[in-house]
Amino acid sequence: TQLLEQSPQFLSIQEGENLTVYCNSSSVFSSLQWYRQEPGEGPVLLVTVVTGGEVKKLKRLTFQFGDARKDSSLHITAAQPGDTGLYLCAGVGNAGNMLTFGGGTRLMVKP
Amino acid sequence: DAGVTQSPTHLIKTRGQQVTLRCSPKSGHDTVSWYQQALGQGPQFIFQYYEEEERQRGNFPDRFSGHQFPNYSSELNVNALLLGDSALYLCASSLWQTVRKPQHFGDGTRLSIL
């Protein structure tokens, strides 16, 4: 069974601070995706990382895939209240496109 | 272009009852996956349907069953409901075997078991 562990589970920071969320597994995934979920809504895809060592930037968000394709990180620079939400990492297996989700990181950015 | 739509949005049932949840995939998608998201946790994969057949299944008992129709829409059925079945049930659609193409999620059905 493939498992993904996210840390931290909860994060409460002030506007303007930086933060990093980690997603770790003992399994290799063909790719890894990061989602953001707002209350009452489904997850919305932020990025997919495919190649070991890959780094992708989305405005103030930086996503990295580990060299061995087992772990990933999400770094947010100068967090804003609009970044508040549940951040989920999900590994894509080699068979089909079934997603294995981490437990999520609930981020609150205070003005 | 309509995205993934799920119905109903909320549902309240009692233990032992049966429930059917419905999902219409995004236009052009042929594969539907169902996930269960308990409060405060990440979604867990239930099963995936393509060409009206269950293609993959997660670690869920056979009380959970599904169906896909020729128009690609899907239903999730849960029998003999337990308190622990209370969760947000998410439907995601995609194109079969296009791993690098994103799955699109609906906003879910919130199921409460009393």
Side-chain angles (χ1 to χ4, degrees), chain A residues 8-55:
Chain A
Q9 286 184 289
F10 301 96
L11 198 51
S12 180
I13 60 173
Q14 294 294 134
E15 181 177 1
E17 292 184 4
N18 301 332
L19 67 116
T20 301
V21 177
Y22 299 94
C23 179
N24 296 296
S25 174
S26 58
S27 303
V28 176
F29 291 97
S30 64
S31 62
L32 196 137
Q33 300 177 338
W34 284 91
Y35 291 81
R36 179 177 159 193
Q37 185 176 21
E38 303 277 6
E41 298 180 8
V44 175
L45 181 68
L46 297 174
V47 77
T48 300
V49 285
V50 179
T51 307
E54 181 177 4
V55 177

Side-chain angles (χ1 to χ4, degrees), chain A residues 70-107:
Chain A
K70 293 182 180 181
D71 54 85
S72 181
S73 63
L74 158 60
H75 182 78
I76 300 179
T77 304
Q80 299 177 0
D83 295 328
T84 293
L86 178 68
Y87 289 83
L88 296 159
C89 65
V92 182
N94 294 316
N97 54 1
M98 177 190 95
L99 298 176
T100 300
F101 281 90
T105 295
R106 191 163 298 280
L107 172 66

Side-chain angles (χ1 to χ4, degrees), chain B residues 44-83:
Chain B
Q44 284 195 306
F45 176 76
I46 303 175
F47 43 53
Q48 182 181 76
Y49 277 84
Y50 170 68
E51 288 189 332
E52 302 178 49
E53 289 187 13
E54 183 182 294
R55 300 292 179 160
Q56 293 187 80
R57 188 178 183 93
N59 188 25
F60 279 80
D62 57 13
R63 296 187 298 109
F64 290 77
S65 63
H67 189 78
Q68 186 180 34
F69 299 94
N71 67 353
Y72 309 118
S73 67
S74 176
E75 289 182 350
L76 163 65
N77 301 291
V78 188
N79 295 323
L81 287 166
L82 303 173
L83 291 178

